[in-house]
Amino acid sequence: MAHEVNEKSEHTVSHRSVELFVAALLMVVALVVMYDNWKTGAGWAFDGPEAGYFPFWIGVILLVTSAGTFINTLRHSKVGLETFVERQQLKQILQVFIPAVVYVATIGYIGIYVSSAIFIGFFMIYLGKYPIYKVVPVSIGVPLFMFVLFEVWFLVPLPKGPLEAALGY
């Protein structure tokens, strides 16, 4: 009996729920792609396909396949009721996902290099449990190397923040 309670407490969401959610989300994405490319021009012009022709049809394919998945999942109501992810697994996923979202969100404000230094340092300390004397050189060295690689050698500008602006880049 105690084992059953533990299993229920570990349950988060079923495979079926995830399939329905992802299929619905992809249908919305497909409709947005189709609408936007229809406005751009999804027809055939005198000189060939218009700019939105191929993306529009990719959207149609995505819509049809996602709707098929959604309907098929609804038709088989007894399939996919097992747990998609347990709480402990979800916690581990969120330990990586949330900092990654914060990292991506901060790139626009403080630049990719400073964001990367903070991101690498955070992961080394929080998940890796590395000592600070190992964290500092790696979390500064990797973004510095990437700066030299992209900005100096390849001449590919990446998003910069106030630190790079203060240094004249």
Side-chain angles (χ1 to χ4, degrees):
M1 185 67 148
H3 184 66
E4 289 177 21
V5 172
N6 188 25
E7 282 183 16
K8 288 186 186 271
S9 67
E10 289 293 315
H11 180 75
T12 54
V13 64
S14 68
H15 277 273
R16 184 173 190 265
S17 300
V18 172
E19 279 194 33
L20 290 171
F21 175 76
V22 171
L25 182 66
L26 288 175
M27 285 190 290
V28 170
V29 168
L31 289 170
V32 169
V33 166
M34 290 168 56
Y35 173 76
D36 190 53
N37 285 289
W38 185 261
K39 286 188 342 182
T40 302
W44 201 267
F46 72 92
D47 59 344
E50 294 177 319
Y53 181 81
F54 291 110
F56 174 82
W57 287 105
I58 297 295
V60 169
I61 292 168
L62 182 61
L63 179 65
V64 169
T65 56
S66 298
T69 299
F70 192 87
I71 291 166
N72 192 37
T73 303
L74 283 178
R75 284 184 38 220
H76 298 100
S77 60
K78 301 284 190 243
V79 177
L81 297 178
E82 63 275 358
T83 300
F84 179 71
V85 65
E86 294 177 2
R87 289 192 192 279
Q88 184 59 30
Q89 294 169 326
L90 183 61
K91 181 181 172 189
Q92 290 173 333
I93 291 167
L94 292 177
Q95 283 179 329
V96 174
F97 182 72
I98 292 172
V101 168
V102 171
Y103 166 66
V104 170
T106 60
I107 288 173
Y109 299 103
I110 61 175
I112 194 165
Y113 303 111
V114 174
S115 294
S116 296
I118 294 168
F119 185 67
I120 292 167
F122 171 78
F123 268 99
M124 287 183 73
I125 291 169
Y126 180 66
L127 292 177
K129 309 290 188 227
Y130 287 96
I132 196 75
Y133 71 89
K134 289 184 178 180
V135 171
V136 171
V138 172
S139 64
I140 292 174
V142 169
L144 190 59
F145 174 76
M146 298 310 286
F147 178 82
V148 171
L149 179 70
F150 285 105
E151 305 283 338
V152 178
W153 294 344
F154 293 149
L155 301 174
V156 175
L158 295 178
K160 292 175 210 53
L163 176 65
E164 293 90 350
L167 295 174
Y169 288 99

